[in-house]
Amino acid sequence: EAQVTQNPRYLITVTGKKLTVTCSQNMNHEYMSWYRQDPGLGLRQIYYSMNVEVTDKGDVPEGYKVSRKEKRNFPLILESPSPNQTSLYFCASSLGRGFNQPQHFGDGTRLSIL
Amino acid sequence: KNEVEQSPQNLTAQEGEFITINCSYSVGISALHWLQQHPGGGIVSLFMLSSGKKKHGRLIATINIQEKHSSLHITASHPRDSAVYICAVAGGSNYKLTFGKGTLLTVNP
């Protein structure tokens, strides 16, 4: 089954403790992206990747890192999480150039930073 | 930066009604996406448009590039259509998506 898999689905942690949210897709998609969703602000793009070893900042990249060492995986790293990073996070992938292809979303990861 | 405005923010309808959700954007785009998010659920892509009109079942999406406006229509609405509908636009020379804040649709039986 074609899918985008995020882990964990839920995480409660404390300020400053490094964490990684994994994202994996099995559709051989070139484009992958991370978004956060906050009440009243909607979805905002954090980082995106056009292909292996090619990443770039979205609108809200501060406090996040990403890597794209393999085509299928695009982990989101919070080196020193802070409470303002408490949010619902979505990973997505698409064929080719992401902006002119349908996006396939993961089920989301709800992060709470205390 | 592209500004994306959706209207209305909230919409309540009776089952069977025809629904229209609007999306306007400020800068020329290469594509526009309509997404659906059920309460507590994930996000599903409904349409990707760069011109004209698309139809899938009871859902119809249109876009007017000159007016920088898109509409999502739902015919014969059903309670299972209750969800947040999100418009997102992709710029011409970059690979970012900018999202509207969403429209919460509630369809009562």
Side-chain angles (χ1 to χ4, degrees), chain A residues 4-62:
Chain A
V4 178
T5 303
Q6 294 180 228
N7 280 296
R9 293 291 313 281
Y10 305 91
L11 179 63
I12 301 173
T13 187
V14 296
T15 299
K17 185 177 180 182
K18 180 179 178 180
L19 67 92
T20 299
V21 185
T22 63
C23 174
S24 180
Q25 50 92 6
N26 63 0
M27 296 168 278
N28 202 35
H29 285 169
E30 289 86 0
Y31 184 94
M32 297 185 74
S33 185
W34 276 103
Y35 306 95
R36 61 178 289 175
Q37 186 177 38
D38 302 288
L41 297 176
L43 283 157
R44 292 177 293 168
Q45 194 166 24
I46 303 171
Y47 269 96
Y48 63 92
S49 170
M50 298 297 294
N51 213 326
V52 175
E53 303 291 2
V54 181
T55 63
D56 205 350
K57 296 176 182 178
D59 291 323
V60 287
E62 297 79 19

Side-chain angles (χ1 to χ4, degrees), chain A residues 31 37 40 45 99-101, chain B residues 31 33 37 90 95-97 101:
Chain A
Y31 184 94
Q37 186 177 38
Q45 194 166 24
F99 56 78
N100 63 354
Q101 297 289 338
Chain B
H33 298 255
Q37 185 176 26
Y95 306 106
K96 299 180 185 179
L97 276 181
K101 290 185 169 55

Side-chain angles (χ1 to χ4, degrees), chain B residues 11-19 36 38 58-59 73-83 85 105-109:
Chain B
L11 180 57
T12 300
Q14 289 300 120
E15 184 172 357
E17 286 185 2
F18 181 84
I19 304 290
Q36 180 192 56
H38 280 103
R58 295 180 295 106
L59 273 60
H73 305 287
I74 304 175
T75 62
S77 58
H78 189 275
R80 65 175 174 266
D81 297 324
S82 298
Y85 292 84
L105 171 65
T106 304
V107 182
N108 294 316

Side-chain angles (χ1 to χ4, degrees), chain A residues 48-102:
Chain A
Y48 63 92
S49 170
M50 298 297 294
N51 213 326
V52 175
E53 303 291 2
V54 181
T55 63
D56 205 350
K57 296 176 182 178
D59 291 323
V60 287
E62 297 79 19
Y64 304 95
K65 284 176 59 177
V66 292
S67 68
R68 187 93 181 271
K69 294 184 169 58
E70 305 166 282
K71 198 171 187 179
R72 63 182 294 125
N73 295 323
F74 189 45
L76 179 69
I77 303 157
L78 285 71
E79 294 268 5
S80 183
S82 62
N84 64 11
Q85 292 176 298
T86 292
S87 187
L88 179 57
Y89 292 84
F90 288 97
C91 178
S93 72
S94 62
L95 274 172
R97 294 184 175 184
F99 56 78
N100 63 354
Q101 297 289 338

